Structure formats: structure tokens, C-alpha cells
Amino acid sequence: MMATTPPAIRIPQLEPFLGEEELAELADCIRTNWLTEGPKATEFVRLLRDYTGARHILLVPNGTLALYVALMVRGIGPGDEVIVPDFTFFASGSSVVLAGATPVFVDVDPGTLCIAPEEVERAITPRTRAIMPVHMYGQSADMDAVMRIAGDHGLFVIEDAAQGIGTRLRGRHVGTFGDLGCLSFFADKTLTTGEGGAIMTNDDRLADLTLYFKNQGRENRGSFIHPYMGYNFRLTDVQAAIGLAQMRKLDDLIARKQRAEAHYRARLAGVEQVRFLADVPGSTRVPFRIGILVPDAPALTEYLTQAGIGLRGFFYPLHRQPAFTPQNSRHLEGIRHSVYAYEHGICLPSSAGLQETQVDYVCDRIAEFFRR
Ligand SMILES: Cc1ncc(COP(=O)(O)O)c(C=O)c1O
């Protein structure tokens, strides 16, 4: 049989939702001659604080560094263990290794694909210092359970909310439950600055430490006196300008993604082979990526790709990643839901700009595949 080349993608899996508003903000940076973290960043932070309710927001160059800085300012390092879900992006685990500590990978809840609280309990040792719940695909982790376990065992909580902008549990924004929460503004995220990230905290001391750590160990840029050790982990005003415009249309962006997901769910309700992810009670999901679990993901992926539909696979289990070795990490035995998700998951087109007719087209092709 001759190999066929897939058609040029007609429906992208995920693309940013940019327009004249972002252009105007960018032009303003050039006109005012201000490029590094400055007035646009200040305004971006103000809007982020209002929106999330976090007492402090500190901008950093990306979500990976947000996690790294959060671990460092919480004093986590060599000899410490951090409990991380096995099903997540690489950075949730690599940031722990790069901070000098040991990530301990545990299985996820099969419904939400967020960290399974009972597995967290099983992983605690005298060396455990923190838990890192991840709000996967814009679904809140079970923060009531995580915070209870953390309280019972005197552990810190660093929330990986890289995918979680807009997601709330009982009205409270994810990333504001634990000691520190981390956002990513990478190009595929619901709110983007191209590259970018932020640290959220309600703790004044941790906010101060974060400021020093990201700003060359000093409070203000103009000073040459550096009381502490620190990096240059600032965002530029050019990026913050994009974020500012994105913040102003975030409600619309989120509503569009939620409408798309609701439409997928309604259209695929009769296709028994398709399973959507579950919600933690009391939470509002912001579908960063719209994922489904199906019996034969590779075959469906091939079929939809041939139909011009852009897709993404699910994350590769961290305990199987070549970069995580017995020397730098640990995992609990019996991890299976994370492996199942990797083998059966497909992310469908999930952009804010996705049209209802495009969702119909994708759903028709999926139904057609299972009818064959
Ligand atoms: C769960 C999770 N954590 C961390 C990150 C890292 O964020 P960034 O790409 O901004 O470094 C990502 C990015 O995709 C992510 O999905």
C-alpha cells in the first residue's frame, strides 16, 4: 500500500486569538520607547490580580521558571521530595530536579487526570516537603483534598496552574490555594504573551523573596546595591503589552472555548466510544485543550489527520521519560491511569477562534470513524 501524505491542516489544533488590540498595545511600546518590564507590566499585573484575587503577582519569562522560582523561594532543594502527578507536562517534574530536589511521581484520578489524593498520601515520606498539584487541561485539581493532606503533614503546596487561567473552584481561582501558584502564557495557552509566566502568592514574605530572586537580588532596577542573590527573570513590556490586550478580552476568550467544548460534548454524546474528562464538583473548567479518551487513539488520530484536522496527543507519563532516572526522581509502583491517558487521549481542535461549523465537521468525522 502506498503511504498517503496528510493534507495541509484545515483546522488547527490550537492557535492564539490575536487581533488589533494586541497590535495597538505593541505599537504603544514602540511609541513610548519602553521595552523592558515597566508600565505595561504594571498594568498587566494589576488586571491579573483583580482577575485572580491573588494578593501578589510576579511576572517571569515562562511557566517553567515560575515553577523553579516558586520551589527556590520556598527553600526546596537537595534532600527534599516533591510529590508531582505522573500525567503532566515535563516542566512540572524538571523544575523540581533543576531546583536540586527529587520529584516523586504518583498516579492521577482517572476522571479528571489531576493528581489522585490517595496516591499523594501513599507517597509521603519523612523527606517530603511539598505537593505540586497540576490543574490539567484547565480542570481544577481536588484542592480540598490536597490542602487537607498538606495541612495534616505540614507540607507546602506549589500549584502548577500553567494551564489554569480562569479555572475556579468554588469561585476561587486556581493557583491561590497553596503557598504559591504558577501560570504560563506560552503561545498555546488560553491567555498568551508568546512566552511568559507569573507567580501568584498571598504571602507577603514569599512575594518579597520572589521579587529579589527574579530581579538580581534587589527591589528596584535602578539600584546597584544587591542585598540578596538573584537572577534576571523579568518579562519584557513588549510581552506584557500583548498580555494586557489578552486580559481585556479574557472573558470572551474563555466563553468561546467553553462554548466549543459544550458543543463537542453535545454532538458526541451519542458516540459511546468517546469519553470526556470529568470535573471536580464545584469547579468551573476552562478547556485549555479539549481532550477525549477513545479505545483506539492512533487509528482515530490517523483518520482525523487525513481529514485535515489538527490534533495533539496526551502527555507522556513522567515516570517513563528518559530524562527522569532513578538517580534524580522516584515514582510509586502501579501507575496506570497516567499510562492509560497517554495511550488513549486525543486533544481536539480547541482554539478560541474555532467555529461551530468546524466543531460539527470534527464530530461528524469522529462519528463516521466509529460507524465504519
Ligand atoms: C502543566 C504545565 N506546567 C508547566 C508548563 C511550562 O510552561 P512554559 O512553557 O511557559 O515554560 C506547561 C507548559 O506547557 C504546562 O503545561
Side-chain angles (χ1 to χ4, degrees):
M1 205 171 79
M2 247 173 55
T4 49
T5 14
I9 288 177
R10 277 186 288 157
I11 307 179
Q13 199 278 314
L14 194 46
E15 59 182 6
F17 194 65
L18 303 167
E20 292 301 320
E21 307 85 349
E22 285 78 7
L23 264 181
E25 286 295 341
L26 284 171
D28 207 37
C29 288
I30 308 296
R31 257 196 306 272
T32 57
N33 219 14
W34 197 300
L35 302 178
T36 187
E37 200 171 300
K40 297 289 180 200
T42 304
E43 182 60 4
F44 184 33
V45 163
R46 191 183 68 76
L47 294 187
L48 277 168
R49 284 183 55 204
D50 283 353
Y51 183 77
T52 60
R55 191 171 157 84
H56 303 280
I57 298 262
L58 295 114
L59 302 175
V60 288
N62 56 61
T64 305
L65 284 176
L67 291 169
Y68 172 73
V69 173
L71 291 158
M72 293 299 282
V73 301
R74 212 40 300 196
I76 292 167
D80 297 334
E81 290 181 349
V82 179
I83 301 174
V84 176
D86 192 58
F87 183 77
T88 176
F89 181 61
F90 177 66
S92 313
S94 66
S95 57
V96 177
V97 174
L98 294 170
T102 306
V104 178
F105 304 124
V106 303
D107 211 351
V108 290
D109 177 272
T112 63
L113 300 186
C114 294
I115 200 161
E118 61 283 5
E119 296 301 295
V120 174
E121 304 233 41
R122 228 159 55 79
I124 294 172
T125 72
R127 291 164 55 160
T128 309
R129 291 286 306 288
I131 311 170
M132 184 190 286
V134 180
H135 304 290
M136 184 47 58
Y137 296 144
Q139 165 56 45
S140 172
D142 184 351
M143 289 312 294
D144 292 337
V146 169
M147 295 310 289
R148 183 180 44 73
I149 297 168
D152 288 350
H153 296 269
L155 304 176
F156 299 133
V157 174
I158 293 173
E159 295 178 65
D160 182 342
Q163 308 180 0
I165 188 90
T167 301
R168 289 172 198 271
L169 177 62
R170 281 177 280 93
R172 187 162 166 182
H173 200 282
V174 297
T176 65
F177 289 82
D179 299 74
L180 299 130
C182 300
L183 295 169
S184 165
F185 307 129
F186 181 64
D188 65 359
K189 297 298 184 293
T190 303
L191 183 153
T192 186
T193 59
E195 298 279 0
I199 295 174
M200 320 154 85
T201 184
N202 293 324
D203 183 313
D204 296 345
R205 201 178 67 87
L206 290 176
D208 278 351
L209 290 174
T210 304
L211 177 63
Y212 287 123
F213 198 76
K214 67 161 266 188
N215 195 33
Q216 309 275 23
R218 65 190 166 178
E219 223 166 298
N220 298 314
R221 202 170 19 239
S223 163
F224 286 121
I225 299 174
H226 304 251
Y228 300 101
M229 211 33 79
Y231 288 96
N232 171 2
F233 285 165
R234 294 187 296 264
L235 197 73
T236 67
D237 245 27
V238 180
Q239 292 163 297
I242 300 174
L244 198 50
Q246 292 265 291
M247 247 348 264
R248 294 195 185 110
K249 59 187 187 194
L250 184 58
D251 286 343
D252 178 45
L253 259 162
I254 288 176
R256 286 165 172 271
K257 286 171 83 91
Q258 286 173 332
R259 272 200 303 274
E261 192 191 32
H263 196 54
Y264 274 121
R265 283 181 185 251
R267 285 291 324 269
L268 293 171
V271 184
E272 65 185 33
Q273 293 90 340
V274 173
R275 175 157 76 82
F276 283 88
L277 305 187
D279 295 320
V280 166
S283 66
T284 46
R285 167 197 297 278
V286 175
F288 153 61
R289 285 186 197 279
I290 300 167
I292 55 171
L293 294 158
V294 292
D296 190 353
L300 178 59
T301 299
E302 170 65 17
Y303 190 77
L304 297 181
T305 304
Q306 289 300 334
I309 297 166
L311 303 171
R312 247 309 162 86
F314 272 26
F315 292 114
Y316 190 55
L318 292 195
H319 79 282
R320 290 190 177 179
Q321 290 282 0
F324 292 119
T325 64
Q327 284 72 45
N328 67 17
S329 59
R330 202 162 74 67
H331 66 88
L332 288 191
E333 288 309 314
I335 291 179
R336 51 198 182 97
H337 302 309
S338 164
V339 174
Y340 183 92
Y342 163 67
E343 288 173 350
H344 298 266
I346 299 176
C347 295
L348 301 175
S350 313
S351 310
L354 192 67
Q355 302 298 310
E356 203 169 285
T357 50
Q358 294 178 311
V359 175
D360 285 333
Y361 175 77
V362 176
C363 294
D364 287 344
R365 297 292 79 73
I366 293 174
E368 194 175 86
F369 172 83
F370 286 113
R371 267 200 310 271
R372 290 178 320 156

